[in-house]
Amino acid sequence: MLKNKTNKVLDTKLDAVSIALKHSIKNLDSYTHVRGESLYVDDVNIRQGTFHAVVFDSPKAHGKIKSIDYSKAETLEGVERIFTYKDVPGENEIGGIIPDEPLFAEDEVHFWGMPIALIVAESEFIARKARSLIDIEIEDLPVITTAKEAKAMGSFINAPRSFSLGDTETAFADCDYVFEGETFSNGQEHLYIETQGAYAEPLENGNIKITSSTQGPTAVQKTIAKVLGVAMHKIEVDVTRLGGGFGGKEDQATPWAVMAALATHHLNQSVKLILNRHDDLRMTGKRHPYESNYKIGLSKDLKIIAYQTEFLQNSGAAADLSPAIAERTLFHATNSYYVPNVTTKVLSCKTNLPPNTAFRGFGGPQGMFVIESAIAKAANEIGVPTRKIQEANLLDENDTFSYGQIAKKVEAKNTWNSAKQLFNIESLEQEVEDFNKNNTSFKKGLAFMPITFGISFTNTPMNHARALVHIYLDGSVGISTAAVEMGQGVNTKMMQIAADVFSIPIEKIKIETTNTTRVANTSPSAASSTADLNGKATLMACKALVERLKTVASEDLNASENDITFKDEFIFINGKKSALTWTELISKAMLKRVALTENAHYATPEIHFDKTKEKGHPFAYHVYGTAITTTTIDCTRGTYEFDSVKIVHDYGKSMSEGIDLGQVEGALIQGIGWMTMEEIAYNKDGRLLSNALSTYKVPDIFSVPKIVEVIPVETEGNEMAILKSKAVGEPPLMYGIGAYFALQNAIKAFNPNYNLEFHAPMTPEKVLMGLYENTK
Ligand code: LUZ
Ligand code: MOS
């Protein structure tokens, strides 16, 4: 990134920061982003003599390695060394949940792009050149690319999981309507702007420091220790910030950091490994494609009485996070609806694709697409608008989820009804109807999309975080947490918390890099929970410091501790400003030898889940919302635009409205992209065809809806959320599912003979075929 630092720039930056705090709305990182001053892995100063590395990966999706000839590559001028599994001093194993993933292939390859060796050279250019000189011979083995094929062959990652509530079998018999069908939702490329990368440097005594673009510094540390066969304390992982993660760096930032560390371990020299876009697209996993079937049963009055589904998850060649993602699919299988009889089952199918991984929503969106498809199918068959069925089944207070949690402080109906009212649904629907009556070559479609998303890592033990807060002797503050800033604005939120508790300006607060030596044994920044977990820990640490400082102030001011408050950098007694300032108080505390550092630990209370019964209370709370999407399709071309997406969203009490709005808008567009235009394609041999931005299309500024309106629903917030400000990272992605059904409704308006198919993404090609199928 370009850097242009002058004192003048720094001054204006502080002004901008102060303004931002007053409105509590802007992501404070935006100032360094637009100036190109934000530091990513590739911007970290490197030592003289640093080597550069490139990964040599499998050119086949499945096979036995017969021979590899490295001789030409090794002898190329500037090549330092090539590392393979034979150079691993500890375990050649990086699987996080299940140990089924080698760092480097040994005698077999399991996916196209699977790492086989690391080429270390004086420059990346030389390493790349060397890679092209490696000869490999692979004997082909059968390639599985789809979940269905894997199921047929009995190829699974682990045992299936199943949730159930009520008595589904019996309930179907009592239904007035029963419908069955199949759905498919494709994968999705994360396309973080910053590709995967790491920089490793040797410290004293064989210790290694790694700067990694990871959401999970502890996972990186733990895995490096395992692969190198050293204790975790010898490995320090530092994260400055990420240029996007979206789940793609929850588990899959690890291999590159391990490889760089391995090379550093052997060479006692710094090593930098940054994937270029092509390598990243080919070697990393994506959102899981799902092939699913459903059976839905309704009563005459449109109540969903029974719902059954089998989800086939295309897990790829190794477990990665697939079991946890499969679990979340089950948690969200009924979306915002109460269904009294539910049986859901998920199979993690082992294929020869790169291991698929976490992606914003973490299996939830895949589950929700299926029930929305089932409802759309039922509505079409019965001949009622889809929204009537949706509306008749929305969750209510004290309804039970299939996993046993009782729904509390439910906002499903509230957001739904607010959306109808605030956006004047009657006139919106009338507009669509009138337009469709008056136009033959363009048609409009409208769809509702309610969302309910559970907040917490579904794996209860992961729900904890720590914060280390230092007050320096001049009154400035440094905060370390486990939170990784990846553009989501968590650093701004942490600063807001400390500024609020200490009542000092935000310029006096600094958020440190995320570092395993300052905050250890952390969960990744994921599950929309980063601000909640780390924010609560930060809040606890700051409050503990304030209590300690109140004692100092009461002694100094001869006042009762209970009467002391801190406001705008002054100490107040009984609400009256004293002469004592924050900075003076800190000096006095120093002289009295009072500790100005606090380390707090937060673990989400109340949550639990029993996997043997598949019942419990896994989520701290749920986030709710409703989106209304309107689209116009061009019936000659199959192309489309989204006229508007109007959302009523449950922020709780947003602590940073600008940041939260940014999350909703970004997630929505990402969801629309997944549902409409992003098309991952592998050929039968398991080679990624959509391996560049010429063949993989993501939404650009011209494909975003013309209007995106987001209105916060009035709620009291939730105590389990940081400052009652609910988690916002993932839930709004699922508003994008509405885009699929809006398009379908538009197609139906043109072609009444259109056979509803639930096969996402709904690309313009599919729209075009739908428009003219079963017509003369
Ligand atoms: N990661 C994880 C997640 O390990 N567990 C989760 O429950 C989760 N949920 C959403 C996103 N990432
Ligand atoms: Mo995630 S899908 O890394 O919250």
Side-chain angles (χ1 to χ4, degrees):
M1 306 282 146
L2 279 174
K3 267 159 241 146
N4 175 17
K5 280 188 188 151
T6 66
N7 285 334
K8 197 151 170 275
V9 167
L10 283 176
D11 286 342
T12 53
K13 179 157 68 186
L14 285 185
D15 287 347
V17 165
S18 310
I19 292 163
L21 178 68
K22 285 200 189 92
H23 300 280
S24 293
I25 53 162
K26 282 218 174 88
N27 184 335
L28 297 177
D29 288 333
S30 50
Y31 302 101
T32 54
H33 287 350
V34 296
R35 291 188 170 100
E37 294 167 4
S38 301
L39 297 180
Y40 302 85
V41 177
D42 209 12
D43 302 311
V44 171
N45 282 333
I46 58 171
R47 289 200 208 183
Q48 203 164 21
T50 291
F51 289 118
H52 298 264
V54 163
V55 179
F56 170 66
D57 61 303
S58 174
K60 288 280 168 90
H62 195 197
K64 280 198 167 34
I65 299 176
K66 291 316 239 181
S67 67
I68 309 181
D69 181 0
Y70 292 111
S71 58
K72 276 179 274 171
E74 268 167 344
T75 52
L76 183 72
E77 171 89 27
V79 171
E80 182 66 16
R81 203 170 143 183
I82 298 177
F83 296 96
T84 68
Y85 73 93
K86 291 178 186 155
D87 300 297
V88 170
E91 290 176 57
N92 182 33
E93 175 54 57
I94 60 168
I97 297 179
I98 298 174
D100 68 349
E101 188 177 2
L103 175 69
F104 292 121
E106 298 190 5
D107 42 16
E108 279 198 5
V109 291
H110 299 126
F111 65 91
W112 201 300
M114 181 174 183
I116 296 172
L118 185 74
I119 305 151
V120 177
E122 281 167 16
S123 74
E124 189 186 327
F125 181 81
I126 294 171
R128 252 173 225 295
K129 176 96 208 276
R131 179 166 77 176
S132 68
L133 300 174
I134 298 172
D135 290 317
I136 184 166
E137 229 187 303
I138 293 176
E139 183 187 308
D140 288 327
L141 288 170
V143 173
I144 305 176
T145 59
T146 69
K148 260 191 197 159
E149 291 170 83
K151 187 190 171 191
M153 299 183 64
S155 170
F156 301 110
I157 295 288
N158 59 350
R161 293 277 297 273
S162 178
F163 287 7
S164 82
L165 178 72
D167 183 347
T168 316
E169 284 278 304
T170 315
F172 274 120
D174 297 336
C175 292
D176 298 307
Y177 307 106
V178 177
F179 305 102
E180 291 180 69
E182 287 189 342
T183 74
F184 173 79
S185 61
N186 205 335
Q188 186 176 24
E189 165 57 42
H190 301 86
L191 215 78
Y192 24 66
I193 292 178
E194 180 200 25
T195 54
Q196 304 275 6
Y199 172 63
E201 46 191 317
L203 305 177
E204 293 172 334
N205 300 313
N207 300 325
I208 297 176
K209 179 180 173 186
I210 296 96
T211 305
S212 166
S213 179
T214 181
Q215 292 173 237
T218 293
V220 169
Q221 180 194 20
K222 189 173 130 195
T223 312
I224 291 174
K226 180 164 150 181
V227 171
L228 297 188
V230 302
M232 279 174 75
H233 71 194
K234 297 192 81 75
I235 307 299
E236 172 185 347
V237 180
D238 192 76
V239 183
T240 57
R241 66 170 64 255
L242 317 188
F246 309 116
K249 296 170 181 171
E250 183 173 337
D251 226 36
Q252 298 209 358
T254 301
W256 329 110
V258 178
M259 288 177 204
L262 176 75
T264 289
H265 172 85
H266 284 291
L267 301 172
N268 196 33
Q269 177 57 281
S270 297
V271 175
K272 189 168 178 174
L273 168 56
I274 311 260
L275 301 192
N276 73 9
R277 184 62 69 184
H278 271 295
D279 287 357
D280 188 303
L281 290 172
R282 185 175 69 253
M283 295 179 199
T284 65
K286 314 183 187 309
R287 183 189 293 286
H288 295 75
Y290 272 57
E291 289 168 279
S292 315
N293 58 58
Y294 63 83
K295 185 172 171 185
I296 189 168
L298 301 95
S299 64
K300 277 240 144 53
D301 58 354
L302 305 182
K303 288 276 182 205
I304 304 172
I305 306 296
Y307 182 59
Q308 184 183 318
T309 174
E310 182 178 85
F311 299 105
L312 301 186
Q313 176 195 61
N314 187 335
S315 311
D320 190 273
L321 292 163
S322 295
I325 292 160
E327 181 182 54
R328 198 177 266 279
T329 301
L330 300 187
F331 282 119
H332 295 92
T334 53
N335 188 16
S336 297
Y337 310 108
Y338 171 63
V339 185
N341 303 286
V342 186
T343 304
T344 52
K345 183 177 179 190
V346 61
L347 303 168
S348 291
C349 302
K350 192 169 182 168
T351 63
N352 297 111
L353 301 187
N356 285 316
T357 193
F359 196 135
R360 206 173 194 172
F362 207 71
Q366 290 95 323
M368 285 155 70
F369 177 67
V370 178
I371 192 157
E372 292 305 324
S373 298
I375 291 173
K377 166 88 172 178
N380 192 59
E381 297 288 323
I382 299 170
V384 294
T386 303
R387 87 158 160 99
K388 295 289 179 207
I389 300 182
Q390 292 174 310
E391 194 165 331
N393 293 282
L394 291 170
L395 272 169
D396 237 330
E397 204 66 13
N398 297 321
D399 281 343
T400 307
F401 289 101
S402 67
Y403 45 93
Q405 184 159 345
I406 310 293
K408 296 282 179 194
K409 298 192 174 190
V410 180
E411 303 290 348
K413 288 188 175 169
N414 189 9
T415 58
W416 180 281
N417 292 329
S418 303
K420 273 171 65 179
Q421 234 171 48
L422 291 165
F423 302 127
N424 201 348
I425 186 62
E426 274 78 23
S427 79
L428 261 183
E429 284 177 337
Q430 194 60 51
E431 251 174 65
V432 170
E433 210 181 303
D434 293 346
F435 182 93
N436 288 346
K437 236 180 250 156
N438 299 326
N439 289 276
T440 46
S441 50
F442 290 86
K443 293 290 179 188
K444 281 189 191 292
L446 179 150
F448 274 68
M449 182 64 201
I451 60 147
T452 298
F453 197 80
I455 303 304
S456 285
F457 287 95
T458 58
N459 184 24
T460 303
M462 290 172 78
N463 293 283
H464 61 86
R466 280 154 302 287
L468 177 67
V469 179
H470 299 313
I471 304 174
Y472 292 99
L473 53 88
D474 64 353
S476 63
V477 172
I479 299 174
S480 299
T481 72
V484 169
E485 174 60 56
M486 46 187 148
Q488 85 279 44
V490 71
N491 282 358
T492 302
K493 289 188 174 181
M494 297 302 108
M495 283 198 248
Q496 282 181 264
I497 292 163
D500 189 51
V501 177
F502 294 142
S503 198
I504 59 176
I506 221 154
E507 299 90 273
K508 289 210 161 154
I509 297 162
K510 176 190 175 198
I511 303 299
E512 305 289 353
T513 60
T514 316
N515 186 296
T516 54
T517 67
R518 273 177 271 114
V519 181
N521 308 325
T522 61
S523 293
S525 286
S528 304
S529 301
T530 314
D532 277 1
L533 297 174
N534 295 280
K536 291 265 188 180
T538 302
L539 190 65
M540 286 165 72
C542 293
K543 281 184 168 170
L545 284 163
V546 162
E547 286 313 305
R548 210 174 289 158
L549 289 167
K550 276 185 179 172
T551 310
V552 178
S554 79
E555 285 164 13
D556 190 73
L557 296 168
N558 251 324
S560 157
E561 276 180 41
N562 296 333
D563 297 338
I564 301 221
T565 49
F566 296 10
K567 194 163 184 295
D568 298 338
E569 295 190 89
F570 275 90
I571 313 309
F572 283 61
I573 310 168
N574 274 323
K576 276 207 208 91
K577 191 175 185 173
S578 77
L580 184 61
T581 66
W582 164 262
T583 311
E584 287 163 359
L585 177 62
I586 299 304
S587 306
K588 289 186 173 176
M590 274 297 288
L591 292 173
K592 293 195 163 185
R593 297 182 289 170
V594 169
L596 292 173
T597 289
E598 184 66 18
N599 182 31
H601 172 81
Y602 175 75
T604 313
E606 292 171 37
I607 53 173
H608 56 87
F609 192 72
D610 181 347
K611 282 193 192 181
T612 63
K613 300 194 175 78
E614 301 288 26
K615 295 283 179 195
H617 185 105
F619 298 119
Y621 58 90
H622 288 83
V623 170
Y624 300 90
T626 299
I628 304 173
T629 303
T630 315
T631 186
T632 305
I633 59 174
D634 178 331
C635 302
T636 317
R637 297 177 178 83
T639 51
Y640 46 76
E641 282 186 335
F642 292 97
D643 308 332
S644 65
V645 181
K646 301 185 176 211
I647 296 169
V648 173
H649 185 78
D650 166 26
Y651 293 103
K653 294 243 172 285
S654 175
M655 66 181 286
S656 318
E657 287 170 24
I659 289 174
D660 288 352
L661 177 62
Q663 286 292 302
V664 173
E665 290 174 341
L668 167 71
I669 307 309
Q670 204 164 31
I672 293 178
W674 171 54
M675 279 285 110
T676 63
M677 63 197 299
E678 298 186 35
E679 194 163 34
I680 304 256
Y682 290 94
N683 69 9
K684 276 277 154 219
D685 300 330
R687 187 164 80 89
L688 180 68
L689 301 176
S690 50
N691 67 348
L693 293 182
S694 52
T695 46
Y696 187 75
K697 296 295 182 190
V698 294
D700 60 10
I701 196 65
F702 301 105
S703 47
V704 305
K706 280 184 270 181
I707 298 168
V708 176
E709 203 174 335
V710 186
I711 298 183
V713 71
E714 288 291 329
T715 77
E716 54 190 86
N718 192 301
E719 285 297 343
M720 299 277 261
I722 181 67
L723 305 176
K724 296 191 171 186
S725 182
K726 282 187 168 185
V728 69
E730 296 172 288
L733 182 130
M734 284 146 276
Y735 291 134
I737 295 173
Y740 188 94
F741 297 96
L743 286 169
Q744 227 175 26
N745 289 337
I747 299 170
K748 273 205 289 188
F750 181 83
N751 177 9
N753 298 323
Y754 165 62
N755 289 328
L756 260 63
E757 258 204 11
F758 305 99
H759 197 283
M762 184 68 96
T763 55
E765 293 88 332
K766 274 197 207 137
V767 171
L768 192 62
M769 291 192 291
L771 286 166
Y772 295 98
E773 75 183 5
N774 304 321
T775 58
K776 279 165 272 157

